[in-house]
Amino acid sequence: MTPLSRVVIGSLLILAWPTAHAADGQKIFTQGGANPAAMACIGCHGPDGKGIAAAGFPRLAGLPAGYLSKQLQDWRNGTRKQPVMEPLAKALSDDEIKAVSAYLASLPAEPVADLRRQQIADDPTTRLALYGDWGRQIPGCVQCHGPGGSGVGEHFPPLAGQPAAYLVAQLNAWRDGSRSNDPNQLMVGVAKAMTDDEVKAIAAFFARPAHPEVTP
Ligand code: HEC
Ligand code: HEC
């Protein structure tokens, strides 16, 4: 064996070794985790991970891996409470959480229009989304969630394209205390300052696929 081929084979072995032991994210998504209580995600989050809007099941495809794994850990540590996902998250191992989050983050998501480049309708919901209401200490949602609500970095999740029923449920969860996992309580104040009608309207605003009525 030449020294070069020895190096090549050696590096192949090093590359192959961790994958043989690591959890398989795609398999967890389609078939579930090693513990049968960790049901396959695909059944509720849809074949492409884009969620099932009619049921209020959120999209996971293209969400940041850091955000996804944090949510699963939050169900385990009790700062996020929900009867379906809580036992499921508890049945996943740390390795499985890491693997399935990385897999989901790699799935393609629908493109989101950039609101900054669009003609913005002047209605109260759009104003709240873009500029907030400083009289009530509500910053604009897009200031943290990115243009069009498309998400920013690992910790500010996208709102765009999530089912309206899911977005309403999350804002209400902060209001009733069943979700208290937001870093520095960034969301609880925002959610509590909003009226029921605003919660519904803002959810419908971001749930619209890509603001098709205005072209970039
Ligand atoms: C039986 C249905 C069901 C199955 C199976 C399921 N989920 Fe969920 N999932 C839900 C529901 C319902 C919610 C919304 C929970 C809420 O309202 O807080 C959710 C929410 C989530 C969220 C939060 C998304 C966000 O934007 O914060 C993550 C992450 C998640 N699920 C991951 C998974 C993973 C990973 C699997 C597979 C191992 C899985 N789910 C399997 C029903 C399910
Ligand atoms: C100061 C920053 C900030 C502002 C402003 C903000 N958010 Fe958030 N929001 C966050 C963070 C951070 C999270 C993720 C918290 C976590 O880790 O679970 C979040 C999460 C959410 C979620 C849950 C998403 C999911 O996938 O479960 C919803 C819904 C939401 N925000 C709606 C809004 C709306 C509507 C507004 C405007 C009225 C808004 N946010 C303004 C920081 C912000």
Side-chain angles (χ1 to χ4, degrees):
M1 207 189 288
T2 66
L4 179 63
S5 55
R6 215 175 292 138
V7 168
V8 169
I9 289 170
S11 358
L12 286 176
L13 283 175
I14 288 165
L15 287 175
W17 188 80
T19 52
H21 291 255
D24 177 344
Q26 182 172 16
K27 191 167 166 213
I28 296 163
F29 179 69
T30 55
Q31 297 172 35
N35 180 335
M39 289 180 287
C41 327
I42 195 167
C44 295
H45 292 284
D48 44 16
K50 288 183 181 161
I52 300 176
F57 299 152
R59 84 158 156 112
L60 306 177
L63 265 59
Y67 173 78
L68 290 167
S69 53
K70 175 179 176 293
Q71 301 310 306
L72 293 162
Q73 297 290 354
D74 289 346
W75 273 305
R76 297 194 334 176
N77 67 32
T79 55
R80 191 169 171 179
K81 297 192 177 71
Q82 201 272 339
V84 176
M85 279 308 299
E86 209 173 305
L88 219 147
K90 287 183 175 157
L92 289 167
S93 71
D94 284 343
D95 279 351
E96 287 177 325
I97 286 182
K98 234 183 261 168
V100 77
S101 300
Y103 173 71
L104 292 165
S106 76
L107 294 178
E110 307 290 345
V112 174
D114 184 344
L115 285 179
R116 288 173 307 188
R117 296 166 56 213
Q118 297 178 348
Q119 284 247 284
I120 301 299
D122 188 27
D123 66 273
T125 306
T126 309
R127 275 201 301 274
L128 191 63
L130 297 188
Y131 311 113
D133 179 352
W134 287 100
R136 288 181 288 161
Q137 311 220 328
I138 307 178
C141 316
V142 302
Q143 288 168 27
C144 288
H145 290 280
S150 56
V152 177
E154 284 295 304
H155 299 293
F156 297 97
L159 306 177
Q162 286 293 20
Y166 173 75
L167 296 174
V168 168
Q170 299 317 301
L171 291 164
N172 286 335
W174 272 301
R175 301 202 301 176
D176 71 22
S178 53
R179 186 168 175 174
S180 57
N181 65 338
D182 45 329
N184 302 319
Q185 304 187 300
L186 290 174
M187 274 308 301
V188 67
V190 169
K192 283 193 171 158
M194 292 170 80
T195 67
D196 286 344
D197 283 346
E198 284 173 331
V199 163
K200 278 188 213 131
I202 207 100
F205 176 86
F206 283 114
R208 284 185 298 176
H211 300 273
E213 74 285 7
V214 275
T215 44

